[in-house]
Amino acid sequence: MDLSVVEQVALLDAWIAEGGVAVLSGAGLSTDSGIPDYRGPSGSARRGSPMTYQTFTSDALARRRYWARSHLGWRTIGDARPNDGHRAVARWQSSGLLNGLITQNVDGLHQAAGAHDVVELHGNLARIVCLDCRELTSRTELTARMDQANPDFSAVATGINPDGDVELDDAELTGFTVVDCRSCGGVLKPDVVYFGETVPPDRVATAFDLVESARTLLVLGSSLTVMSGRRFVLRAVREGVRVAIVNRGVTRGEPYANMVIDAPLGVVLPNLASETDNHRFVNTVTVSKYK
């Protein structure tokens, strides 16, 4: 890290050590876990058009195409493990420094790192919902059923998105069988927000509450290109909450931020977590000494 970044990290460490931090994480936080982002250095653009809710529910062929691709993509998402960035955030939470944790990601890696009470804006790929009876089941169960229904499916993905969708030639889809809800025979869908859907209002309200009651909004690994994430930065500014962004590359939140650190999260966050631990240790020793 160059000197200017080192100085910024030192200041950000002081902000985090004060507590009251609301974290908003994006796809860039998971790149070190092997999941590419949409617009950053590992994924300059999304591979293929995203599935929309309207297409998924109305077009059986498109739904079959989606499930074949997603079935392959889950092998990467499901096997991914938390990286040092996820662990750093979990350490801040366990130390009582976080006011809340909001993520745009659907990979569940914050929880796998030990975090809790995560506001998952866009849901989680590990859950499956029936669009008819609304029953929730696990992705593990669905994967086993899909494997059983498609014993000869041996397609190979050529690229993957953070939402688990992959690139796949249509010729590889021949004979792929989609399974339905075991309880009612209804249509199954990953419990995530598709394009054309809206984030549940109670989820958004919870996230806004966390931002408004924070001292610092810390954005990690998000370009803030879409309003889904940027609205929380705008709300923080409106409420007088300072904004710090750590991200590789351009971010649309820069005009509103008090600090922008353009550096690898896998370097910055472990350093920050270590410095914050040291900061708190020194303060604890000092307070104890003069009691």
PDB file of all heavy atoms in Angstrom, residues 30-67:
ATOM      1  N   SER A  30     -16.189 -10.756  -2.196  1.00  0.00           N
ATOM      2  CA  SER A  30     -16.123 -12.210  -2.346  1.00  0.00           C
ATOM      3  C   SER A  30     -15.180 -12.674  -3.449  1.00  0.00           C
ATOM      4  O   SER A  30     -15.060 -13.877  -3.691  1.00  0.00           O
ATOM      5  CB  SER A  30     -17.530 -12.774  -2.605  1.00  0.00           C
ATOM      6  OG  SER A  30     -18.354 -12.613  -1.471  1.00  0.00           O
ATOM      7  N   THR A  31     -14.514 -11.747  -4.125  1.00  0.00           N
ATOM      8  CA  THR A  31     -13.650 -12.167  -5.227  1.00  0.00           C
ATOM      9  C   THR A  31     -12.485 -13.031  -4.737  1.00  0.00           C
ATOM     10  O   THR A  31     -12.063 -13.960  -5.438  1.00  0.00           O
ATOM     11  CB  THR A  31     -13.101 -10.955  -6.003  1.00  0.00           C
ATOM     12  OG1 THR A  31     -12.420 -10.079  -5.104  1.00  0.00           O
ATOM     13  CG2 THR A  31     -14.223 -10.198  -6.687  1.00  0.00           C
ATOM     14  N   ASP A  32     -11.974 -12.754  -3.547  1.00  0.00           N
ATOM     15  CA  ASP A  32     -10.874 -13.569  -3.018  1.00  0.00           C
ATOM     16  C   ASP A  32     -11.336 -14.964  -2.603  1.00  0.00           C
ATOM     17  O   ASP A  32     -10.519 -15.815  -2.265  1.00  0.00           O
ATOM     18  CB  ASP A  32     -10.215 -12.871  -1.823  1.00  0.00           C
ATOM     19  CG  ASP A  32      -9.331 -11.706  -2.250  1.00  0.00           C
ATOM     20  OD1 ASP A  32      -9.017 -11.615  -3.453  1.00  0.00           O
ATOM     21  OD2 ASP A  32      -8.957 -10.893  -1.380  1.00  0.00           O
ATOM     22  N   SER A  33     -12.645 -15.184  -2.634  1.00  0.00           N
ATOM     23  CA  SER A  33     -13.185 -16.518  -2.374  1.00  0.00           C
ATOM     24  C   SER A  33     -13.461 -17.273  -3.670  1.00  0.00           C
ATOM     25  O   SER A  33     -14.051 -18.352  -3.655  1.00  0.00           O
ATOM     26  CB  SER A  33     -14.476 -16.414  -1.552  1.00  0.00           C
ATOM     27  OG  SER A  33     -14.220 -15.891  -0.271  1.00  0.00           O
ATOM     28  N   GLY A  34     -13.068 -16.670  -4.787  1.00  0.00           N
ATOM     29  CA  GLY A  34     -13.226 -17.326  -6.077  1.00  0.00           C
ATOM     30  C   GLY A  34     -14.510 -17.011  -6.803  1.00  0.00           C
ATOM     31  O   GLY A  34     -14.824 -17.629  -7.820  1.00  0.00           O
ATOM     32  N   ILE A  35     -15.264 -16.028  -6.290  1.00  0.00           N
ATOM     33  CA  ILE A  35     -16.511 -15.627  -6.942  1.00  0.00           C
ATOM     34  C   ILE A  35     -16.266 -14.284  -7.627  1.00  0.00           C
ATOM     35  O   ILE A  35     -15.992 -13.292  -6.952  1.00  0.00           O
ATOM     36  CB  ILE A  35     -17.653 -15.489  -5.919  1.00  0.00           C
ATOM     37  CG1 ILE A  35     -17.850 -16.812  -5.169  1.00  0.00           C
ATOM     38  CG2 ILE A  35     -18.946 -15.070  -6.610  1.00  0.00           C
ATOM     39  CD1 ILE A  35     -18.854 -16.733  -4.041  1.00  0.00           C
ATOM     40  N   PRO A  36     -16.371 -14.218  -8.948  1.00  0.00           N
ATOM     41  CA  PRO A  36     -16.072 -12.955  -9.637  1.00  0.00           C
ATOM     42  C   PRO A  36     -17.124 -11.899  -9.333  1.00  0.00           C
ATOM     43  O   PRO A  36     -18.267 -12.210  -9.004  1.00  0.00           O
ATOM     44  CB  PRO A  36     -16.091 -13.345 -11.118  1.00  0.00           C
ATOM     45  CG  PRO A  36     -17.007 -14.519 -11.172  1.00  0.00           C
ATOM     46  CD  PRO A  36     -16.779 -15.272  -9.883  1.00  0.00           C
ATOM     47  N   ASP A  37     -16.710 -10.630  -9.437  1.00  0.00           N
ATOM     48  CA  ASP A  37     -17.684  -9.562  -9.262  1.00  0.00           C
ATOM     49  C   ASP A  37     -18.235  -9.146 -10.626  1.00  0.00           C
ATOM     50  O   ASP A  37     -17.864  -9.699 -11.658  1.00  0.00           O
ATOM     51  CB  ASP A  37     -17.088  -8.380  -8.496  1.00  0.00           C
ATOM     52  CG  ASP A  37     -15.853  -7.804  -9.176  1.00  0.00           C
ATOM     53  OD1 ASP A  37     -15.484  -8.289 -10.256  1.00  0.00           O
ATOM     54  OD2 ASP A  37     -15.259  -6.867  -8.619  1.00  0.00           O
ATOM     55  N   TYR A  38     -19.138  -8.158 -10.615  1.00  0.00           N
ATOM     56  CA  TYR A  38     -19.775  -7.742 -11.856  1.00  0.00           C
ATOM     57  C   TYR A  38     -18.930  -6.751 -12.645  1.00  0.00           C
ATOM     58  O   TYR A  38     -18.797  -6.847 -13.853  1.00  0.00           O
ATOM     59  CB  TYR A  38     -21.130  -7.073 -11.555  1.00  0.00           C
ATOM     60  CG  TYR A  38     -22.181  -8.042 -11.117  1.00  0.00           C
ATOM     61  CD1 TYR A  38     -22.738  -7.960  -9.848  1.00  0.00           C
ATOM     62  CD2 TYR A  38     -22.636  -9.036 -11.971  1.00  0.00           C
ATOM     63  CE1 TYR A  38     -23.727  -8.834  -9.452  1.00  0.00           C
ATOM     64  CE2 TYR A  38     -23.625  -9.925 -11.580  1.00  0.00           C
ATOM     65  CZ  TYR A  38     -24.168  -9.813 -10.313  1.00  0.00           C
ATOM     66  OH  TYR A  38     -25.139 -10.693  -9.915  1.00  0.00           O
ATOM     67  N   ARG A  39     -18.372  -5.766 -11.954  1.00  0.00           N
ATOM     68  CA  ARG A  39     -17.774  -4.648 -12.666  1.00  0.00           C
ATOM     69  C   ARG A  39     -16.335  -4.359 -12.277  1.00  0.00           C
ATOM     70  O   ARG A  39     -15.681  -3.531 -12.873  1.00  0.00           O
ATOM     71  CB  ARG A  39     -18.614  -3.379 -12.441  1.00  0.00           C
ATOM     72  CG  ARG A  39     -20.046  -3.557 -12.923  1.00  0.00           C
ATOM     73  CD  ARG A  39     -20.907  -2.374 -12.580  1.00  0.00           C
ATOM     74  NE  ARG A  39     -22.272  -2.590 -13.048  1.00  0.00           N
ATOM     75  CZ  ARG A  39     -23.208  -3.222 -12.364  1.00  0.00           C
ATOM     76  NH1 ARG A  39     -22.941  -3.689 -11.174  1.00  0.00           N
ATOM     77  NH2 ARG A  39     -24.419  -3.397 -12.864  1.00  0.00           N
ATOM     78  N   GLY A  40     -15.839  -5.007 -11.228  1.00  0.00           N
ATOM     79  CA  GLY A  40     -14.480  -4.737 -10.778  1.00  0.00           C
ATOM     80  C   GLY A  40     -13.443  -5.458 -11.609  1.00  0.00           C
ATOM     81  O   GLY A  40     -13.725  -6.002 -12.672  1.00  0.00           O
ATOM     82  N   PRO A  41     -12.206  -5.508 -11.124  1.00  0.00           N
ATOM     83  CA  PRO A  41     -11.101  -6.081 -11.883  1.00  0.00           C
ATOM     84  C   PRO A  41     -11.317  -7.535 -12.293  1.00  0.00           C
ATOM     85  O   PRO A  41     -10.821  -7.978 -13.326  1.00  0.00           O
ATOM     86  CB  PRO A  41      -9.915  -5.961 -10.910  1.00  0.00           C
ATOM     87  CG  PRO A  41     -10.270  -4.808 -10.027  1.00  0.00           C
ATOM     88  CD  PRO A  41     -11.756  -4.881  -9.869  1.00  0.00           C
ATOM     89  N   SER A  42     -12.082  -8.314 -11.510  1.00  0.00           N
ATOM     90  CA  SER A  42     -12.248  -9.724 -11.849  1.00  0.00           C
ATOM     91  C   SER A  42     -13.456  -9.991 -12.736  1.00  0.00           C
ATOM     92  O   SER A  42     -13.680 -11.106 -13.179  1.00  0.00           O
ATOM     93  CB  SER A  42     -12.368 -10.564 -10.571  1.00  0.00           C
ATOM     94  OG  SER A  42     -13.599 -10.315  -9.938  1.00  0.00           O
ATOM     95  N   GLY A  43     -14.253  -8.975 -12.996  1.00  0.00           N
ATOM     96  CA  GLY A  43     -15.446  -9.192 -13.811  1.00  0.00           C
ATOM     97  C   GLY A  43     -15.956  -7.893 -14.371  1.00  0.00           C
ATOM     98  O   GLY A  43     -16.937  -7.356 -13.894  1.00  0.00           O
ATOM     99  N   SER A  44     -15.268  -7.356 -15.387  1.00  0.00           N
ATOM    100  CA  SER A  44     -15.537  -6.007 -15.877  1.00  0.00           C
ATOM    101  C   SER A  44     -16.969  -5.827 -16.372  1.00  0.00           C
ATOM    102  O   SER A  44     -17.466  -4.720 -16.458  1.00  0.00           O
ATOM    103  CB  SER A  44     -14.567  -5.662 -17.011  1.00  0.00           C
ATOM    104  OG  SER A  44     -14.673  -6.609 -18.053  1.00  0.00           O
ATOM    105  N   ALA A  45     -17.639  -6.906 -16.717  1.00  0.00           N
ATOM    106  CA  ALA A  45     -19.038  -6.813 -17.115  1.00  0.00           C
ATOM    107  C   ALA A  45     -19.719  -8.149 -16.831  1.00  0.00           C
ATOM    108  O   ALA A  45     -19.077  -9.184 -16.791  1.00  0.00           O
ATOM    109  CB  ALA A  45     -19.157  -6.475 -18.600  1.00  0.00           C
ATOM    110  N   ARG A  46     -21.024  -8.084 -16.638  1.00  0.00           N
ATOM    111  CA  ARG A  46     -21.757  -9.320 -16.373  1.00  0.00           C
ATOM    112  C   ARG A  46     -21.725 -10.228 -17.591  1.00  0.00           C
ATOM    113  O   ARG A  46     -21.830  -9.775 -18.720  1.00  0.00           O
ATOM    114  CB  ARG A  46     -23.215  -8.990 -16.034  1.00  0.00           C
ATOM    115  CG  ARG A  46     -23.959 -10.184 -15.475  1.00  0.00           C
ATOM    116  CD  ARG A  46     -25.444  -9.924 -15.351  1.00  0.00           C
ATOM    117  NE  ARG A  46     -26.038 -10.860 -14.421  1.00  0.00           N
ATOM    118  CZ  ARG A  46     -26.325 -12.124 -14.695  1.00  0.00           C
ATOM    119  NH1 ARG A  46     -26.054 -12.602 -15.882  1.00  0.00           N
ATOM    120  NH2 ARG A  46     -26.864 -12.891 -13.777  1.00  0.00           N
ATOM    121  N   ARG A  47     -21.561 -11.517 -17.362  1.00  0.00           N
ATOM    122  CA  ARG A  47     -21.561 -12.488 -18.449  1.00  0.00           C
ATOM    123  C   ARG A  47     -23.009 -12.864 -18.780  1.00  0.00           C
ATOM    124  O   ARG A  47     -23.664 -13.553 -18.025  1.00  0.00           O
ATOM    125  CB  ARG A  47     -20.774 -13.747 -18.042  1.00  0.00           C
ATOM    126  CG  ARG A  47     -19.312 -13.468 -17.737  1.00  0.00           C
ATOM    127  CD  ARG A  47     -18.642 -14.739 -17.238  1.00  0.00           C
ATOM    128  NE  ARG A  47     -17.214 -14.563 -17.092  1.00  0.00           N
ATOM    129  CZ  ARG A  47     -16.613 -14.109 -15.993  1.00  0.00           C
ATOM    130  NH1 ARG A  47     -17.342 -13.781 -14.955  1.00  0.00           N
ATOM    131  NH2 ARG A  47     -15.301 -13.984 -15.944  1.00  0.00           N
ATOM    132  N   GLY A  48     -23.509 -12.401 -19.911  1.00  0.00           N
ATOM    133  CA  GLY A  48     -24.862 -12.741 -20.325  1.00  0.00           C
ATOM    134  C   GLY A  48     -25.906 -11.852 -19.665  1.00  0.00           C
ATOM    135  O   GLY A  48     -25.625 -11.099 -18.747  1.00  0.00           O
ATOM    136  N   SER A  49     -27.127 -11.950 -20.177  1.00  0.00           N
ATOM    137  CA  SER A  49     -28.234 -11.162 -19.634  1.00  0.00           C
ATOM    138  C   SER A  49     -28.768 -11.826 -18.375  1.00  0.00           C
ATOM    139  O   SER A  49     -28.904 -13.052 -18.330  1.00  0.00           O
ATOM    140  CB  SER A  49     -29.354 -11.047 -20.679  1.00  0.00           C
ATOM    141  OG  SER A  49     -28.882 -10.416 -21.843  1.00  0.00           O
ATOM    142  N   PRO A  50     -29.104 -11.036 -17.363  1.00  0.00           N
ATOM    143  CA  PRO A  50     -29.621 -11.636 -16.130  1.00  0.00           C
ATOM    144  C   PRO A  50     -31.032 -12.170 -16.314  1.00  0.00           C
ATOM    145  O   PRO A  50     -31.802 -11.669 -17.134  1.00  0.00           O
ATOM    146  CB  PRO A  50     -29.615 -10.448 -15.154  1.00  0.00           C
ATOM    147  CG  PRO A  50     -29.773  -9.243 -16.029  1.00  0.00           C
ATOM    148  CD  PRO A  50     -29.020  -9.567 -17.290  1.00  0.00           C
ATOM    149  N   MET A  51     -31.354 -13.196 -15.564  1.00  0.00           N
ATOM    150  CA  MET A  51     -32.704 -13.733 -15.571  1.00  0.00           C
ATOM    151  C   MET A  51     -33.637 -12.743 -14.881  1.00  0.00           C
ATOM    152  O   MET A  51     -33.315 -12.211 -13.817  1.00  0.00           O
ATOM    153  CB  MET A  51     -32.736 -15.076 -14.843  1.00  0.00           C
ATOM    154  CG  MET A  51     -34.128 -15.662 -14.631  1.00  0.00           C
ATOM    155  SD  MET A  51     -35.047 -15.951 -16.160  1.00  0.00           S
ATOM    156  CE  MET A  51     -34.123 -17.345 -16.834  1.00  0.00           C
ATOM    157  N   THR A  52     -34.774 -12.480 -15.497  1.00  0.00           N
ATOM    158  CA  THR A  52     -35.773 -11.625 -14.880  1.00  0.00           C
ATOM    159  C   THR A  52     -36.864 -12.488 -14.249  1.00  0.00           C
ATOM    160  O   THR A  52     -37.092 -13.633 -14.667  1.00  0.00           O
ATOM    161  CB  THR A  52     -36.424 -10.673 -15.898  1.00  0.00           C
ATOM    162  OG1 THR A  52     -37.194 -11.447 -16.837  1.00  0.00           O
ATOM    163  CG2 THR A  52     -35.362  -9.858 -16.638  1.00  0.00           C
ATOM    164  N   TYR A  53     -37.529 -11.931 -13.287  1.00  0.00           N
ATOM    165  CA  TYR A  53     -38.609 -12.663 -12.610  1.00  0.00           C
ATOM    166  C   TYR A  53     -39.730 -12.988 -13.599  1.00  0.00           C
ATOM    167  O   TYR A  53     -40.282 -14.093 -13.582  1.00  0.00           O
ATOM    168  CB  TYR A  53     -39.155 -11.826 -11.454  1.00  0.00           C
ATOM    169  CG  TYR A  53     -40.240 -12.530 -10.683  1.00  0.00           C
ATOM    170  CD1 TYR A  53     -39.927 -13.528  -9.761  1.00  0.00           C
ATOM    171  CD2 TYR A  53     -41.581 -12.212 -10.880  1.00  0.00           C
ATOM    172  CE1 TYR A  53     -40.925 -14.189  -9.048  1.00  0.00           C
ATOM    173  CE2 TYR A  53     -42.581 -12.862 -10.177  1.00  0.00           C
ATOM    174  CZ  TYR A  53     -42.252 -13.851  -9.261  1.00  0.00           C
ATOM    175  OH  TYR A  53     -43.236 -14.510  -8.568  1.00  0.00           O
ATOM    176  N   GLN A  54     -40.027 -12.022 -14.463  1.00  0.00           N
ATOM    177  CA  GLN A  54     -41.113 -12.216 -15.412  1.00  0.00           C
ATOM    178  C   GLN A  54     -40.819 -13.382 -16.362  1.00  0.00           C
ATOM    179  O   GLN A  54     -41.688 -14.218 -16.635  1.00  0.00           O
ATOM    180  CB  GLN A  54     -41.340 -10.922 -16.211  1.00  0.00           C
ATOM    181  CG  GLN A  54     -41.907  -9.774 -15.394  1.00  0.00           C
ATOM    182  CD  GLN A  54     -40.876  -9.099 -14.486  1.00  0.00           C
ATOM    183  OE1 GLN A  54     -39.664  -9.346 -14.609  1.00  0.00           O
ATOM    184  NE2 GLN A  54     -41.344  -8.253 -13.585  1.00  0.00           N
ATOM    185  N   THR A  55     -39.584 -13.464 -16.860  1.00  0.00           N
ATOM    186  CA  THR A  55     -39.209 -14.550 -17.764  1.00  0.00           C
ATOM    187  C   THR A  55     -39.192 -15.885 -17.032  1.00  0.00           C
ATOM    188  O   THR A  55     -39.669 -16.906 -17.538  1.00  0.00           O
ATOM    189  CB  THR A  55     -37.822 -14.281 -18.383  1.00  0.00           C
ATOM    190  OG1 THR A  55     -37.874 -13.058 -19.125  1.00  0.00           O
ATOM    191  CG2 THR A  55     -37.403 -15.409 -19.305  1.00  0.00           C
ATOM    192  N   PHE A  56     -38.657 -15.895 -15.818  1.00  0.00           N
ATOM    193  CA  PHE A  56     -38.556 -17.131 -15.045  1.00  0.00           C
ATOM    194  C   PHE A  56     -39.932 -17.743 -14.808  1.00  0.00           C
ATOM    195  O   PHE A  56     -40.115 -18.956 -14.904  1.00  0.00           O
ATOM    196  CB  PHE A  56     -37.856 -16.859 -13.717  1.00  0.00           C
ATOM    197  CG  PHE A  56     -37.605 -18.082 -12.884  1.00  0.00           C
ATOM    198  CD1 PHE A  56     -36.443 -18.823 -13.047  1.00  0.00           C
ATOM    199  CD2 PHE A  56     -38.527 -18.500 -11.927  1.00  0.00           C
ATOM    200  CE1 PHE A  56     -36.204 -19.968 -12.295  1.00  0.00           C
ATOM    201  CE2 PHE A  56     -38.296 -19.638 -11.161  1.00  0.00           C
ATOM    202  CZ  PHE A  56     -37.131 -20.372 -11.353  1.00  0.00           C
ATOM    203  N   THR A  57     -40.895 -16.907 -14.479  1.00  0.00           N
ATOM    204  CA  THR A  57     -42.222 -17.424 -14.120  1.00  0.00           C
ATOM    205  C   THR A  57     -43.100 -17.728 -15.333  1.00  0.00           C
ATOM    206  O   THR A  57     -44.047 -18.519 -15.218  1.00  0.00           O
ATOM    207  CB  THR A  57     -42.966 -16.423 -13.212  1.00  0.00           C
ATOM    208  OG1 THR A  57     -43.008 -15.139 -13.851  1.00  0.00           O
ATOM    209  CG2 THR A  57     -42.266 -16.300 -11.869  1.00  0.00           C
ATOM    210  N   SER A  58     -42.801 -17.146 -16.484  1.00  0.00           N
ATOM    211  CA  SER A  58     -43.709 -17.291 -17.632  1.00  0.00           C
ATOM    212  C   SER A  58     -43.176 -18.188 -18.745  1.00  0.00           C
ATOM    213  O   SER A  58     -43.948 -18.602 -19.618  1.00  0.00           O
ATOM    214  CB  SER A  58     -44.026 -15.909 -18.222  1.00  0.00           C
ATOM    215  OG  SER A  58     -42.842 -15.317 -18.765  1.00  0.00           O
ATOM    216  N   ASP A  59     -41.896 -18.512 -18.735  1.00  0.00           N
ATOM    217  CA  ASP A  59     -41.284 -19.234 -19.840  1.00  0.00           C
ATOM    218  C   ASP A  59     -40.602 -20.502 -19.320  1.00  0.00           C
ATOM    219  O   ASP A  59     -39.519 -20.447 -18.734  1.00  0.00           O
ATOM    220  CB  ASP A  59     -40.268 -18.325 -20.543  1.00  0.00           C
ATOM    221  CG  ASP A  59     -39.701 -18.931 -21.828  1.00  0.00           C
ATOM    222  OD1 ASP A  59     -39.679 -20.169 -21.942  1.00  0.00           O
ATOM    223  OD2 ASP A  59     -39.261 -18.157 -22.699  1.00  0.00           O
ATOM    224  N   ALA A  60     -41.242 -21.645 -19.541  1.00  0.00           N
ATOM    225  CA  ALA A  60     -40.711 -22.912 -19.014  1.00  0.00           C
ATOM    226  C   ALA A  60     -39.345 -23.256 -19.613  1.00  0.00           C
ATOM    227  O   ALA A  60     -38.486 -23.813 -18.920  1.00  0.00           O
ATOM    228  CB  ALA A  60     -41.703 -24.037 -19.293  1.00  0.00           C
ATOM    229  N   LEU A  61     -39.138 -22.934 -20.889  1.00  0.00           N
ATOM    230  CA  LEU A  61     -37.853 -23.225 -21.520  1.00  0.00           C
ATOM    231  C   LEU A  61     -36.747 -22.373 -20.914  1.00  0.00           C
ATOM    232  O   LEU A  61     -35.647 -22.871 -20.623  1.00  0.00           O
ATOM    233  CB  LEU A  61     -37.940 -22.985 -23.029  1.00  0.00           C
ATOM    234  CG  LEU A  61     -36.644 -23.250 -23.822  1.00  0.00           C
ATOM    235  CD1 LEU A  61     -36.202 -24.695 -23.647  1.00  0.00           C
ATOM    236  CD2 LEU A  61     -36.864 -22.915 -25.303  1.00  0.00           C
ATOM    237  N   ALA A  62     -37.051 -21.093 -20.704  1.00  0.00           N
ATOM    238  CA  ALA A  62     -36.062 -20.204 -20.080  1.00  0.00           C
ATOM    239  C   ALA A  62     -35.773 -20.650 -18.659  1.00  0.00           C
ATOM    240  O   ALA A  62     -34.636 -20.561 -18.192  1.00  0.00           O
ATOM    241  CB  ALA A  62     -36.573 -18.764 -20.090  1.00  0.00           C
ATOM    242  N   ARG A  63     -36.814 -21.132 -17.979  1.00  0.00           N
ATOM    243  CA  ARG A  63     -36.628 -21.613 -16.610  1.00  0.00           C
ATOM    244  C   ARG A  63     -35.735 -22.855 -16.593  1.00  0.00           C
ATOM    245  O   ARG A  63     -34.861 -22.991 -15.735  1.00  0.00           O
ATOM    246  CB  ARG A  63     -37.990 -21.924 -15.983  1.00  0.00           C
ATOM    247  CG  ARG A  63     -37.937 -22.202 -14.496  1.00  0.00           C
ATOM    248  CD  ARG A  63     -39.284 -22.025 -13.838  1.00  0.00           C
ATOM    249  NE  ARG A  63     -40.318 -22.872 -14.384  1.00  0.00           N
ATOM    250  CZ  ARG A  63     -41.391 -22.426 -15.045  1.00  0.00           C
ATOM    251  NH1 ARG A  63     -41.554 -21.122 -15.247  1.00  0.00           N
ATOM    252  NH2 ARG A  63     -42.311 -23.260 -15.504  1.00  0.00           N
ATOM    253  N   ARG A  64     -35.909 -23.758 -17.541  1.00  0.00           N
ATOM    254  CA  ARG A  64     -35.060 -24.940 -17.636  1.00  0.00           C
ATOM    255  C   ARG A  64     -33.613 -24.536 -17.930  1.00  0.00           C
ATOM    256  O   ARG A  64     -32.671 -25.078 -17.342  1.00  0.00           O
ATOM    257  CB  ARG A  64     -35.570 -25.876 -18.725  1.00  0.00           C
ATOM    258  CG  ARG A  64     -34.748 -27.164 -18.873  1.00  0.00           C
ATOM    259  CD  ARG A  64     -35.480 -28.182 -19.722  1.00  0.00           C
ATOM    260  NE  ARG A  64     -35.532 -27.814 -21.117  1.00  0.00           N
ATOM    261  CZ  ARG A  64     -34.662 -28.246 -22.045  1.00  0.00           C
ATOM    262  NH1 ARG A  64     -33.682 -29.059 -21.704  1.00  0.00           N
ATOM    263  NH2 ARG A  64     -34.779 -27.888 -23.297  1.00  0.00           N
ATOM    264  N   ARG A  65     -33.452 -23.563 -18.838  1.00  0.00           N
ATOM    265  CA  ARG A  65     -32.113 -23.079 -19.168  1.00  0.00           C
ATOM    266  C   ARG A  65     -31.447 -22.475 -17.931  1.00  0.00           C
ATOM    267  O   ARG A  65     -30.271 -22.708 -17.661  1.00  0.00           O
ATOM    268  CB  ARG A  65     -32.200 -22.052 -20.292  1.00  0.00           C
ATOM    269  CG  ARG A  65     -30.856 -21.540 -20.792  1.00  0.00           C
ATOM    270  CD  ARG A  65     -31.024 -20.487 -21.878  1.00  0.00           C
ATOM    271  NE  ARG A  65     -31.693 -21.032 -23.053  1.00  0.00           N
ATOM    272  CZ  ARG A  65     -32.882 -20.645 -23.498  1.00  0.00           C
ATOM    273  NH1 ARG A  65     -33.563 -19.706 -22.827  1.00  0.00           N
ATOM    274  NH2 ARG A  65     -33.413 -21.173 -24.570  1.00  0.00           N
ATOM    275  N   TYR A  66     -32.236 -21.689 -17.184  1.00  0.00           N
ATOM    276  CA  TYR A  66     -31.680 -21.084 -15.971  1.00  0.00           C
ATOM    277  C   TYR A  66     -31.239 -22.144 -14.968  1.00  0.00           C
ATOM    278  O   TYR A  66     -30.141 -22.076 -14.409  1.00  0.00           O
ATOM    279  CB  TYR A  66     -32.698 -20.152 -15.305  1.00  0.00           C
ATOM    280  CG  TYR A  66     -32.218 -19.704 -13.937  1.00  0.00           C
ATOM    281  CD1 TYR A  66     -31.325 -18.657 -13.817  1.00  0.00           C
ATOM    282  CD2 TYR A  66     -32.590 -20.405 -12.785  1.00  0.00           C
ATOM    283  CE1 TYR A  66     -30.826 -18.284 -12.570  1.00  0.00           C
ATOM    284  CE2 TYR A  66     -32.100 -20.044 -11.543  1.00  0.00           C
ATOM    285  CZ  TYR A  66     -31.221 -18.978 -11.446  1.00  0.00           C
ATOM    286  OH  TYR A  66     -30.713 -18.637 -10.225  1.00  0.00           O
ATOM    287  N   TRP A  67     -32.107 -23.138 -14.709  1.00  0.00           N
ATOM    288  CA  TRP A  67     -31.789 -24.126 -13.675  1.00  0.00           C
ATOM    289  C   TRP A  67     -30.573 -24.969 -14.059  1.00  0.00           C
ATOM    290  O   TRP A  67     -29.777 -25.347 -13.196  1.00  0.00           O
ATOM    291  CB  TRP A  67     -32.987 -25.021 -13.394  1.00  0.00           C
ATOM    292  CG  TRP A  67     -33.883 -24.479 -12.322  1.00  0.00           C
ATOM    293  CD1 TRP A  67     -35.202 -24.169 -12.416  1.00  0.00           C
ATOM    294  CD2 TRP A  67     -33.503 -24.170 -10.985  1.00  0.00           C
ATOM    295  NE1 TRP A  67     -35.666 -23.681 -11.224  1.00  0.00           N
ATOM    296  CE2 TRP A  67     -34.646 -23.676 -10.318  1.00  0.00           C
ATOM    297  CE3 TRP A  67     -32.307 -24.247 -10.275  1.00  0.00           C
ATOM    298  CZ2 TRP A  67     -34.627 -23.278  -8.987  1.00  0.00           C
ATOM    299  CZ3 TRP A  67     -32.288 -23.848  -8.945  1.00  0.00           C
ATOM    300  CH2 TRP A  67     -33.434 -23.374  -8.321  1.00  0.00           C
TER     301      TRP A  67
END
